[in-house]
């Protein structure tokens, strides 16, 4: 039956009546559906918030259980003065703690070769009047390159050839103009290859007379020509009275699992004696303390979110949280509290309380200021880091450590097929069903409207006929 305009025949407001009846049928059911939809959407949103916060805390816990600051070693250097820092240092996690007196007596250096005074009057002077070649070689290491030099090549051009050589392994050349006839222009050649035995040799391959001024030896290497003004040498240091050397400025494993790099020669005192610096290999207490405080803040942020979403309103004017009384979220809160207040058998410290972290009545963590006869939380944390660093590390990273237990607990809620993911899926299924229920309800309303219009159309037509009959009778009378 088609839907037609009612009341035209009778003059009655049948359209308004149908509208009121439809609204009376729609309103209660629509209100229930709207309320249900709001509840479901709030649940999905809140579960997403909880899951996000749990994931953030899980990431922080994962960083903590793997963090190198828990097992790392921190080198501390104390120098006689702030003017000179003779060396820097690094230590691996397996380095033993200890303190060492270190003096840097000599830095590693490469060879330095200078042409003799007045060998060249200026940088524009030719180095050879015949074609030849020079080979630059480091000791017997095999590092070498050769330059072909044409007749008439100037000292300045040779400098550029050396610096631009494709196979150059670390040789630099420069020219110093002395400004005097006695000194002339001097070619200075430096090698970056350090260490004893790594002296730079320059070989005059063709025994060109002019090139003898630049070479250290002739073609057969039987005749010495230029002598280095500085030979390649090792760096030298003294560690607790023991002299040690390195062919570079880096001393690796001279102290086991410790690397220190010489940066400058140590200062001397008024009696011309070297002054030693102190190298202390200890634990990175500062980094671990920062991690522990961040752990406390991360948990409290998560707890604040849980409390807000699961709270009950204190009055009728205050709404409950979206997950008020939710069993799953309450279980998360309870499980976290159990782990945080539990003990760790692999650590002599036993639990978080021994490092100053206390679980409050509100469910938050704090590094307390109250003295329970064992010192305040701050003092317990400081003492534990200073005196029991390894045990603090075990408290978090041992197999039954706090961080490992928390990570496993959180993982069952945050993984893709975890508890909260299943809850989200169930809630989204309910939302989809709600859409189907709305569609079915709208179809029922259409059917109900057709029924109402059918009934009131008959009434409209009947009243119209009666009115016509009444009018005819009155006209006859």
């Amino acid at each position: 039956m088609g839907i037609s305009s009612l009341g035209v025949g009778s003059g009655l407001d049948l359209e308004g009546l149908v509208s009121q009846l439809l609204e009376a049928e729609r309103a209660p059911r629509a209100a229930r559906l709207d309320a249900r939809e709001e509840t479901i959407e709030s649940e999905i949103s809140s579960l997403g918030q909880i899951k996000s916060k749990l994931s953030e805390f899980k990431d922080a816990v994962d960083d903590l259980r793997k963090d190198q600051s828990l097992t790392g070693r921190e080198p501390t250097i104390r120098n006689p003065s702030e003017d000179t820092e003779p060396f820097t240092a690094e230590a691996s996690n397996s380095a033993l703690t200890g303190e060492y007196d270190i003096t840097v007596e000599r830095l590693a250096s490469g060879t330095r070769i200078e042409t003799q005074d007045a060998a060249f009057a200026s940088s524009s002077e030719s180095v050879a009047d015949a074609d030849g070649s020079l080979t630059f070689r480091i000791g017997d290491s095999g590092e070498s390159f050769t330059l072909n030099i044409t007749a008439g090549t100037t000292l300045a051009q040779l400098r550029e050839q050396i610096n631009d050589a494709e196979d150059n392994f670390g040789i630099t050349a420069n020219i110093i103009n002395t400004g005097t006839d006695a000194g002339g222009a001097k070619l200075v050649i430096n090698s970056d290859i350090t260490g004893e035995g790594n002296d730079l040799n320059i070989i005059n391959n063709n025994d060109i007379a002019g090139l003898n001024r630049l070479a250290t030896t002739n073609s057969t290497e039987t005749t010495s020509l230029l002598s280095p003004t500085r030979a390649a040498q090792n760096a030298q240091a003294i560690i607790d009275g023991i002299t040690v050397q390195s062919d570079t400025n880096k001393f690796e494993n001279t102290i086991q699992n410790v690397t220190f790099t010489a940066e400058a020669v140590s200062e001397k005192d008024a009696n011309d004696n070297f002054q030693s610096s102190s190298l202390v290999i200890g634990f990175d207490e500062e980094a671990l303390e920062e991690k522990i405080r961040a752990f406390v803040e991360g948990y409290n942020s998560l707890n604040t979110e849980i409390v807000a979403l699961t709270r009950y309103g204190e009055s009728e004017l205050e709404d409950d949280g979206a997950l008020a009384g939710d069993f799953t979220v309450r279980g998360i809160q309870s499980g976290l509290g159990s782990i945080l207040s539990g003990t760790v058998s692999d650590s002599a410290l036993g639990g978080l309380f021994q490092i100053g972290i206390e679980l409050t009545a509100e469910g938050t963590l704090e590094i307390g200021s109250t003295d329970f006869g064992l010192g305040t939380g701050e003092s317990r944390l400081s003492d534990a880091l200073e005196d029991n660093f390894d045990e603090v590390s075990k408290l978090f990273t041992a197999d039954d450590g706090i961080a490992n237990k928390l990570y496993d607990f959180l993982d069952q809620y945050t993984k893709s097929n975890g508890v909260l993911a299943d809850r989200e899926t169930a809630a989204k299924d309910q939302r989809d069903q709600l859409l189907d229920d709305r569609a079915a309800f709208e179809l029922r309303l259409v059917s109900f409207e057709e029924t109402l219009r059918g009934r009131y159309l008959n009434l409209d037509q009947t009243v119209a006929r009666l009115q016509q009959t009444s009018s005819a009778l009155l006209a006859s009378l």
Side-chain angles (χ1 to χ4, degrees):
M1 177 184 294
I3 299 174
S4 25
S5 179
L6 298 175
V8 174
S10 65
L12 299 175
D13 186 14
L14 296 178
E15 280 289 346
L17 180 60
V18 169
S19 296
Q20 292 175 31
L21 290 172
L22 281 173
E23 182 60 27
E25 181 71 15
R26 179 195 300 275
R29 178 63 173 169
R32 289 194 296 272
L33 290 172
D34 289 343
R36 181 60 179 154
E37 181 179 20
E38 183 179 350
T39 300
I40 292 172
E41 291 293 349
S42 180
E43 181 180 1
I44 292 173
S45 174
S46 298
L47 288 171
Q49 289 176 254
I50 290 290
K51 189 176 178 181
S52 176
K53 279 292 184 181
L54 287 173
S55 294
E56 288 179 14
F57 186 53
K58 177 187 169 186
D59 289 342
V61 167
D62 193 30
D63 287 342
L64 182 59
R65 70 182 184 138
K66 295 177 179 177
D67 198 288
Q68 294 300 308
S69 64
L70 292 171
T71 55
R73 300 296 183 262
E74 177 70 10
T76 302
I77 300 171
R78 302 187 183 96
N79 296 312
S81 74
E82 296 181 356
D83 297 332
T84 303
E85 296 182 359
F87 59 88
T88 58
E90 298 176 348
S92 70
N93 293 348
S94 54
L96 299 176
T97 58
E99 184 171 352
Y100 308 89
D101 287 331
I102 298 178
T103 300
V104 177
E105 292 189 325
R106 187 176 69 214
L107 295 179
S109 63
T111 308
R112 178 184 174 93
I113 297 173
E114 301 174 4
T115 56
Q116 294 180 348
D117 290 345
F120 297 94
S122 70
S123 60
S124 59
E125 183 177 333
S126 172
V127 298
D129 54 6
D131 294 348
S133 67
L134 293 174
T135 293
F136 296 77
R137 188 181 70 206
I138 294 295
D140 297 321
S141 67
E143 293 276 11
S144 68
F145 67 93
T146 298
L147 296 180
N148 293 318
I149 302 169
T150 59
T153 298
T154 67
L155 189 65
Q157 290 171 334
L158 176 62
R159 174 191 60 192
E160 299 309 313
Q161 271 190 270
I162 295 172
N163 293 333
D164 297 339
E166 184 176 349
D167 298 329
N168 191 327
F169 49 80
I171 305 300
T172 56
N174 207 345
I175 295 174
I176 296 177
N177 291 303
T178 65
T180 64
D181 293 338
K186 299 173 74 69
L187 182 69
V188 180
I189 300 172
N190 286 290
S191 168
D192 291 341
I193 310 302
T194 62
E196 290 182 8
N198 289 327
D199 289 311
L200 173 65
N201 297 309
I202 306 175
I203 304 164
N204 183 357
N205 296 316
N206 308 102
D207 294 324
I208 303 299
L211 295 182
N212 283 338
R213 295 174 293 174
L214 301 162
T216 62
T217 184
N218 64 350
S219 60
T220 60
E221 300 184 49
T222 56
T223 302
S224 296
L225 300 172
L226 285 178
S227 296
T229 56
R230 182 188 65 214
Q233 63 181 11
N234 291 340
Q236 181 168 301
I238 298 177
I239 303 175
D240 291 341
I242 301 172
T243 300
V244 296
Q245 292 190 359
S246 171
D247 59 2
T248 69
N249 287 318
K250 180 176 287 188
F251 291 79
E252 296 184 273
N253 276 322
T254 302
I255 302 171
Q256 188 173 8
N257 299 316
V258 175
T259 296
F260 70 93
T261 302
E263 304 288 350
V265 173
S266 296
E267 292 182 328
K268 291 185 177 182
D269 59 20
N271 296 319
D272 203 34
N273 296 317
F274 284 112
Q275 294 181 286
S276 64
S277 299
S278 174
L279 171 62
V280 179
I281 305 298
F283 299 106
D284 196 350
E285 297 176 17
E286 183 177 345
L288 179 53
E289 182 176 351
E290 289 179 4
K291 290 290 181 182
I292 290 173
R293 293 185 183 277
F295 167 78
V296 170
E297 292 175 4
Y299 173 77
N300 289 340
S301 177
L302 169 61
N303 185 69
T304 298
E305 190 77 20
I306 290 175
V307 169
L309 292 172
T310 59
R311 76 186 189 286
Y312 286 102
E314 296 182 0
S315 69
E316 293 183 357
L317 298 177
E318 185 176 353
D319 293 335
D320 294 338
L323 298 174
D326 186 275
F327 177 78
T328 300
V329 181
R330 289 292 188 185
I332 294 172
Q333 193 174 35
S334 175
L336 290 172
S338 177
I339 293 172
L340 293 170
S341 60
T343 58
V344 177
S345 60
D346 288 342
S347 172
L349 292 170
L352 291 177
F353 182 83
Q354 280 67 30
I355 63 170
I357 301 176
E358 302 161 14
L359 190 62
T360 69
E362 292 75 26
T364 60
L365 295 177
E366 69 174 6
I367 300 175
S369 56
T370 304
D371 189 339
F372 293 95
L374 300 172
T376 65
E378 292 288 349
S379 64
R380 274 177 279 142
L381 176 59
S382 177
D383 291 344
L385 290 172
E386 184 174 348
D387 301 330
N388 292 293
F389 191 97
D390 281 334
E391 298 305 318
V392 176
S393 174
K394 292 176 185 177
L395 189 64
F396 290 98
T397 62
D399 289 340
D400 70 336
I402 299 293
N404 275 316
K405 286 193 285 190
L406 282 174
Y407 182 87
D408 292 340
F409 177 78
L410 294 167
D411 189 56
Q412 64 182 311
Y413 290 96
T414 57
K415 58 187 179 183
S416 59
N417 59 344
V419 176
L420 291 181
D422 290 344
R423 280 284 304 275
E424 283 182 308
T425 299
K428 289 174 181 177
D429 288 343
Q430 292 178 32
R431 182 174 61 186
D432 292 341
Q433 182 59 51
L434 184 64
L435 292 174
D436 293 340
D437 291 345
R438 283 190 183 277
F441 178 54
E442 291 299 327
L443 288 175
R444 287 198 297 272
L445 283 177
V446 169
S447 178
F448 181 58
E449 183 181 4
E450 289 181 348
T451 300
L452 288 175
R453 287 186 175 279
R455 291 173 181 173
Y456 288 109
L457 180 59
N458 290 333
L459 174 62
D460 191 31
Q461 292 170 345
T462 300
V463 172
R465 287 196 298 271
L466 290 174
Q467 287 176 340
Q468 289 173 356
T469 302
S470 174
S471 296
L473 288 173
L474 288 174
S476 298
L477 294 172

